[in-house]
């Protein structure tokens, strides 16, 4: 098998989706599976659908096109506001998109008319993350403009948290968002099919004690793929955190003299290089580097420490037995490392796991009480 490679356990992704969809379902919240972390990999997207995701979403049109050309059938939403230059591609490959600019929405409307279709619009509302979003005070006006435009149909509104500022939504913010949904309907009519509350960072709120109000959708990537809640980094109970494994090959095992005072080019690695001087007796190199993944997002094999990395080499220190030349070393990845590794041209993706099956009604309906551990 070729190295480096990512082994993907599709059964675990299916199971994670099923677990989280099973907990959110009784609260009236559906799951949209977000595939940007895996570059729109069709088999992984299919595992999300098989686990009960109601639809798929991605941030890049190139990933959406990859999903479409693999024959994915479910609705696909573009969750990053479209580039003005890509309006035609967006209406051709996505049923719906998230939007924050009326100029872009007009371009989508014109493109949809050219295409003989109607494109669904979600308006992204700024609720405090300060990334993309329409300010609440401007929302009504924009919603009314969209209502009057042919070629587009207003499908819903969305909020997004913890992406730029790293802060999970509070119950108060979510209640305010639900009020906005009610207010928009009061002004424009009862059309909001989807009120999308946010991403994986919303899970503690969505699975908490209080009512979830108007929210009937969450867009989940990290929670499904890695089984963790992104703000705390904690594992979500009952979810697999090891659906993905990065495997690389050992290319050098020889000893090296302890490092003298070297100029440290990369401050983030300084701490780890110094660690080598104290205690780490043996070292080895694997054929993988910064070009392939976010090295600081890898968890090292048990007992080993990261000594440092360059574009193509990863130097690891170990107090125990060195692995043999040509053997494989396995790493778990955080979301950043996964995202980079999935996009790296030299890393092969190897799919493991049983062929997709529809989860039985029995397992789907079984709901444990929700808790993040
Ligand atoms: C990335 C993204 C998501 C998914 O975020 P996760 O933390 O991976 O669940 C949802 N919505 C938008 C707008 C995004 O950009």
């Amino acid at each position: 098998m070729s190295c480096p490679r990512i082994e993907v356990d599709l059964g675990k992704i299916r199971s994670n989706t099923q677990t989280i969809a099973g907990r959110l379902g009784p609260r009236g919240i559906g799951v949209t599976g977000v595939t940007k972390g895996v570059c729109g990999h069709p088999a992984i997207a299919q595992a999300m659908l098989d686990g009960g995701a109601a639809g798929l979403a991605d941030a890049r049109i190139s990933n959406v096109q990859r999903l479409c050309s693999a024959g994915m059938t479910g609705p696909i939403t573009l969750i990053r506001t479209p580039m003005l230059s890509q309006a035609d591609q967006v209406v051709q490959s996505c049923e719906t998109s998230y939007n924050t600019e009326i100029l872009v929405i007009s371009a989508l409307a014109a493109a949809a008319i050219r295409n003989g279709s109607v494109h669904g619009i979600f308006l992204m509302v700024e609720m405090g993350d300060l990334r993309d979003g329409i300010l609440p005070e401007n929302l009504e006006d924009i919603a009314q403009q969209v209502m009057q435009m042919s070629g587009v149909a207003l499908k819903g509104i969305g909020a997004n948290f913890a992406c730029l500022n790293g802060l999970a939504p509070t119950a108060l913010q979510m209640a305010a968002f639900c009020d906005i949904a009610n207010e928009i309907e009061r002004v424009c009519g009862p059309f909001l099919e989807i009120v999308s509350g946010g991403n994986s960072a919303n899970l503690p709120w969505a699975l908490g004690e209080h009512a979830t109000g108007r929210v009937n959708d969450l867009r989940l990537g990290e929670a499904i793929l890695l089984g963790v809640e992104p703000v705390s980094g904690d594992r979500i109970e009952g979810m697999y955190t090891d659906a993905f494994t990065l495997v690389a090959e050992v290319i050098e095992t020889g000893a090296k003299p302890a490092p003298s005072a070297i100029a440290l080019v990369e401050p983030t690695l300084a701490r780890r290089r110094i660690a080598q001087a104290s205690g780490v007796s043996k070292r080895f190199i694997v054929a993988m580097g910064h070009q392939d993944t976010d090295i600081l997002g890898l968890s090292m094999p048990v007992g080993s420490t990261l000594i440092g990395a360059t574009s193509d080499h990863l130097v690891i220190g170990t107090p125990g037995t060195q692995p043999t030349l040509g053997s494989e070393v396995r790493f778990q990845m955080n979301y950043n490392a996964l995202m980079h590794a999935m996009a790296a041209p030299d890393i092969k993706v190897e799919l493991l796991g049983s062929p997709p099956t529809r989860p039985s009604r029995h397992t789907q309906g079984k709901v444990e009480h929700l808790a993040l551990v």
Side-chain angles (χ1 to χ4, degrees):
M1 268 177 286
S2 70
C3 271
R5 66 175 184 275
I6 300 173
E7 293 179 356
V8 187
D9 189 327
L10 294 175
K12 288 181 178 172
I13 292 174
R14 206 157 52 237
S15 166
N16 280 357
T17 315
Q18 210 173 326
T19 301
I20 205 69
R23 288 179 194 171
L24 292 170
R27 310 200 144 208
I29 300 176
V31 170
T32 297
V34 175
T35 54
K36 68 187 185 199
V38 293
C39 303
H41 194 292
I44 298 171
Q46 187 61 50
M48 291 176 169
L49 292 175
D50 290 335
L56 299 171
D58 203 289
R60 292 174 189 243
I61 198 72
S62 53
N63 293 343
V64 173
Q65 285 165 343
R66 185 180 181 196
L67 290 167
C68 291
S69 47
M72 304 302 298
T73 48
I76 305 178
T77 302
L78 189 69
I79 46 173
R80 181 174 68 185
T81 187
M83 292 182 215
L84 205 47
S85 60
Q86 291 184 337
D88 285 293
Q89 286 153 277
V90 172
V91 301
Q92 280 158 24
S93 43
C94 307
E95 277 77 6
T96 46
S97 58
Y98 276 82
N99 285 270
T100 60
E101 293 280 0
I102 194 69
L103 212 57
V104 172
I105 298 171
S106 318
L108 291 169
I113 290 167
R114 277 196 294 279
N115 194 45
S117 59
V118 174
H119 184 71
I121 300 291
F122 287 101
L123 295 177
M124 182 67 96
V125 189
E126 167 53 53
M127 293 300 300
D129 189 45
L130 303 182
R131 196 181 70 177
D132 51 332
I134 299 164
L135 293 176
E137 59 262 39
N138 300 333
L139 192 64
E140 236 174 75
D141 175 44
I142 293 183
Q144 277 173 320
Q145 291 187 54
V146 177
M147 293 289 286
Q148 285 153 18
M149 239 180 241
S150 49
V152 289
L154 191 47
K155 290 282 177 200
I157 61 170
N160 196 53
F161 296 91
C163 273
L164 193 61
N165 70 11
L167 297 172
T170 62
L172 217 61
Q173 280 171 308
M174 293 311 295
F177 178 60
C178 292
D179 288 347
I180 290 173
N182 290 331
E183 184 56 20
I184 290 292
E185 284 199 336
R186 197 186 60 73
V187 175
C188 307
F191 60 81
L192 290 184
E193 264 171 55
I194 302 281
V195 178
S196 184
N199 54 39
S200 298
N202 280 69
L203 286 172
W205 166 80
L207 301 177
E209 299 284 303
H210 41 75
T212 46
R214 291 291 311 266
V215 171
N216 62 3
D217 173 76
L218 286 180
R219 309 172 306 272
L220 303 180
E222 186 166 355
I224 292 175
L225 298 171
L226 294 178
V228 298
E229 191 281 295
V231 176
S232 66
D234 292 342
R235 185 175 83 94
I236 301 167
E237 196 191 335
M239 307 268 276
Y240 292 103
T241 57
D242 59 350
F244 296 86
T245 306
L246 183 56
V247 187
E249 185 173 326
V250 176
I251 53 168
E252 190 191 287
T253 59
K256 290 280 153 73
S260 50
I262 35 176
L264 295 167
V265 199
E266 203 170 351
T268 46
L269 286 179
R271 188 170 48 82
R272 295 165 196 270
R273 288 194 192 206
I274 290 160
Q276 185 200 14
S278 57
V280 177
S281 49
K282 305 203 182 73
R283 39 171 273 156
F284 58 93
I285 299 176
V286 300
M288 184 168 69
H290 291 306
Q291 188 140 74
D292 303 290
T293 188
D294 174 13
I295 298 297
L296 294 176
L298 300 179
S299 48
M300 293 294 119
V302 179
S304 304
T305 47
L306 171 63
I307 292 174
T310 61
S311 55
D312 311 287
H313 297 75
L314 179 54
V315 184
I316 300 174
T318 170
T321 326
Q322 267 166 320
T324 52
L325 193 70
S327 64
E328 293 182 344
V329 183
R330 304 170 72 79
F331 303 88
Q332 294 304 307
M333 294 172 276
N334 71 7
Y335 192 74
N336 232 6
L338 172 68
M339 185 174 77
H340 282 101
M342 285 297 297
D346 286 333
I347 300 188
K348 298 280 171 302
V349 174
E350 197 200 331
L351 304 173
L352 315 171
S354 48
T357 46
R358 293 251 155 222
S360 76
R361 242 175 236 186
H362 180 70
T363 44
Q364 235 179 354
K366 204 161 63 181
V367 181
E368 302 141 53
H369 200 53
L370 12 108
L372 295 169
V373 291

